[in-house]
Amino acid sequence: MSAPTYKVLNPATGEVVEEFASATDEQVEQALAAAQSAYEAWQDVDINERAKIVSKVGALFAERADELGKIMTTEMGKPVSEAVGEAQYCQEIFEYFASEGPTLAADQEIKSFSGGKAVVQKRPVGPLLGIMPWNFPLYQVARFAAPNLMLGNTIILKHAESCPRSALAIQEIMDEAGVPTGAYNNVFATHDQISTIIADTRIQGVSLTGSERAGAIIGEQAGRNLKKAVLELGGSDPFVVLDSDNVPAIVDTAWGYRIDNTGQACNSNKRMIVMEGIYDEFVSELTKRAAGLKPGDPMEEAEGTFAPLSSRKAAESLHEQVQDAVSKGATLHAGGVLHDGPSAYYSPAVLTGITKDMRAYYEELFGPVAVVYKVTSDEEAADLANDTIYGLGGSVHSTDVERASKVAQKLQTGMTNVNTPSAEGAEMPFGGVKRSGFGRELGPLGMDEFVNKRLFYIGE
């Protein structure tokens, strides 16, 4: 039996709760064979019949939201109310694709100048590999699995090593909803086995949500094997505030979005870019919200407390980034305390005075650290917002919508928002540019990635 590389390690306590053995090579081969066998039948099931099963999957996520929430909180420290909300959101995603999928996947007739009839069909491509992260253990899987099950593709799912209970719970939901055996396969694969799966001729594509480093590795392997890839990687999203007639209110929005999921979201507002006229008040209000917070049990969520990061290593890495900035002259206004191990608590922080010689200027801060920059013009704000290797999302805020929209149009991102941190909803496409990756999930574009856009032509 393989070594137990998959384990539940509660970041609030540092306790190893449960361990699971990695898959054997035989189990990986069984999953590949099952996915191919299921695909041969699943692709021929009418899409409206597939929709009934996909809808049932969503209903089970909502029905078990409390149970699933506790699993996620134990595995990666997410505040339990947020975890329950994530499970409930999964129903929205599955239901969106179940209801809209038949229309999104419908044949599209195109103009023919040769006299015949030409149609573009959206056909499935076959078995796919999904490599999913720990920060949203259910949501990330839902946005990959829902459109592809609707299309008639089948899935091998490799989840994060720290989320085995979530992975097994998803498999159980798929089975109980009536997803055919082999159409969805959870595999506790090793890194070497991931390479084997990508190279296998039965696999037709791979989707990864994770770090920039992981994306580079998976993207290279996919390219070498001529496989389509979707990569959703890191982000350092700007939150630009041009003006405000209620600074405490915009700070509430900025702070709430920054500490959602304890700051561990790819499209979190990691850089707050604020016009000089309201900068001092903005920083002061942020500091009030961060000051005095204490470590708390994420299962309880008492007022004035914060949850742990996903792991001790994650907390230590974030602390190193912040300390690098402080050692080079940045100002830490509140928080930034790495609490004693083995837990993963890191006090939510407010940081200003970041310069280009600091790691925090270019690196992603994956945790509850609000970095604030002062600017003096709309042009400077846009230039600073774009001075990053990432291009996931961003937002611009102003009492003048036209002014905010003009600046927002300049953002080099896959998702740009005006007067809201992010467009939320299963119908809203998600993805980035530059080193934030490529491809889109959710919305109409979510069904356009792993699909054979086949020309079907009938001559005169």
Side-chain angles (χ1 to χ4, degrees), residues 24 41 44 48 59 80-81 88 93 106 118 125 166-167 194 227 229 236 270-271 325 328 364 384 397 458 460:
T24 63
D44 292 329
N48 293 294
V80 70
S81 65
Q88 293 168 337
I93 294 170
V125 295
S166 291
I194 291 172
K227 306 293 174 71
S236 189
K270 300 186 178 78
R271 294 178 298 141
K328 295 173 181 176
E364 179 180 26
L384 179 56
H397 304 259
I458 301 174
E460 284 187 322

Side-chain angles (χ1 to χ4, degrees), residues 4 25 31 53 61 83 93 101 134 165 213 219 226 230 239 248 251 267 319 321 334 338 373 385 392:
D25 290 344
I53 295 174
F61 271 99
I93 294 170
W134 48 261
R165 284 183 176 175
R213 177 176 175 273
L226 301 179
V230 168
F239 183 100
V251 167
N267 63 326
H319 186 59
Q321 291 172 303
L338 177 64
Y373 295 86
L392 189 54

Side-chain angles (χ1 to χ4, degrees), residues 241 243-254 274 277-286 289:
V241 185
D243 61 69
S244 175
D245 56 8
N246 189 338
V247 173
I250 192 65
V251 167
D252 280 339
T253 298
V274 183
I278 59 172
Y279 173 85
D280 289 341
E281 184 181 0
F282 190 97
V283 172
S284 176
E285 290 290 336
L286 269 181
R289 286 152 182 76

Side-chain angles (χ1 to χ4, degrees), residues 118-276:
V119 174
V120 174
Q121 300 175 317
K122 293 186 178 180
R123 301 289 300 154
V125 295
L128 306 171
L129 171 64
I131 305 171
M132 297 293 110
W134 48 261
N135 60 331
F136 292 97
L138 305 186
Y139 160 69
Q140 301 282 7
V141 175
R143 68 187 199 178
F144 167 64
N148 285 301
L149 288 174
M150 279 297 298
L151 284 165
N153 295 321
T154 56
I155 292 168
I156 293 177
L157 199 292
K158 187 274 176 198
H159 217 314
E161 286 89 342
S162 59
C163 298
R165 284 183 176 175
S166 291
L168 293 174
I170 295 169
Q171 181 71 69
E172 183 178 324
I173 285 174
M174 295 289 179
D175 294 343
E176 292 192 22
V179 175
T181 300
Y184 182 94
N185 308 269
N186 176 71
V187 178
F188 289 154
T190 65
H191 291 177
D192 287 343
Q193 289 169 339
I194 291 172
S195 300
T196 297
I197 294 170
I198 293 173
D200 193 281
T201 57
R202 289 165 288 192
I203 291 294
Q204 300 303 312
V206 55
S207 178
L208 173 135
T209 298
S211 68
E212 179 190 350
R213 177 176 175 273
I217 294 170
I218 296 303
E220 187 274 332
Q221 293 181 3
R224 186 195 317 145
N225 290 284
L226 301 179
K227 306 293 174 71
K228 170 71 181 287
V230 168
L231 303 176
E232 196 277 279
L233 310 177
S236 189
D237 290 12
F239 183 100
V240 179
V241 185
L242 302 177
D243 61 69
S244 175
D245 56 8
N246 189 338
V247 173
I250 192 65
V251 167
D252 280 339
T253 298
W255 180 250
Y257 198 65
R258 186 65 189 99
I259 64 170
D260 183 62
N261 206 40
T262 319
Q264 299 166 118
C266 299
N267 63 326
S268 179
N269 51 336
K270 300 186 178 78
R271 294 178 298 141
M272 301 179 191
I273 299 170
V274 183
M275 202 62 67
E276 61 177 346

Side-chain angles (χ1 to χ4, degrees), residues 54-64 90-91 94-95 173:
V54 169
S55 179
K56 178 62 174 176
V57 171
L60 288 175
F61 271 99
E63 181 181 307
R64 300 178 184 178
C90 288
Q91 181 186 26
F94 280 98
E95 191 57 42
I173 285 174

